[in-house]
């Protein structure tokens, strides 16, 4: 799941009437949104400002972890 997509999804969660907002649990903490995808779960969030039909989005954020792909050891012979 692309981080830019997660940030846009988080922003859409703060806008009343969007599909994303409609599927959230009631009283969901917008700073702790978890997006499930085939590779796992991507935590993200949004800091909206103001009320109304289109709130101002102060910032969005997400967390990415890297999976260990390789572990190696290098030896030098003298």
């Amino acid at each position: 799941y692309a981080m830019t997509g997660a940030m846009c999804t988080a922003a859409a969660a703060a806008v009343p009437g969007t599909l994303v907002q409609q599927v959230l649990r009631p009283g969901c903490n917008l700073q702790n949104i978890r997006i499930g995808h085939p590779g796992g779960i991507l935590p993200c969030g949004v800091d909206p400002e103001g009320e109304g039909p289109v709130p101002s989005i102060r910032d969005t954020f997400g967390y990415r972890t890297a999976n260990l792909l390789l572990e190696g050891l290098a030896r030098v012979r003298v």
Side-chain angles (χ1 to χ4, degrees):
Y1 201 93
M3 186 57 70
T4 52
M7 296 169 85
C8 292
T9 302
V15 180
T18 62
L19 181 62
V20 176
Q21 190 270 336
Q22 291 174 16
V23 299
L24 291 176
R25 291 182 180 149
C28 174
N29 179 359
L30 293 178
Q31 294 185 346
N32 189 22
I33 299 170
R34 295 166 41 111
I35 299 174
H37 58 92
I41 296 174
L42 195 157
C44 61
V46 61
D47 288 325
E49 290 182 340
E51 299 289 327
V54 182
S56 293
I57 304 297
R58 185 172 54 162
D59 65 7
T60 61
F61 49 91
Y63 304 98
R64 173 83 62 196
T65 59
N67 293 329
L68 181 63
L69 299 177
L70 175 72
E71 185 174 333
L73 175 66
R75 294 184 186 208
V76 178
R77 291 189 178 197
V78 208

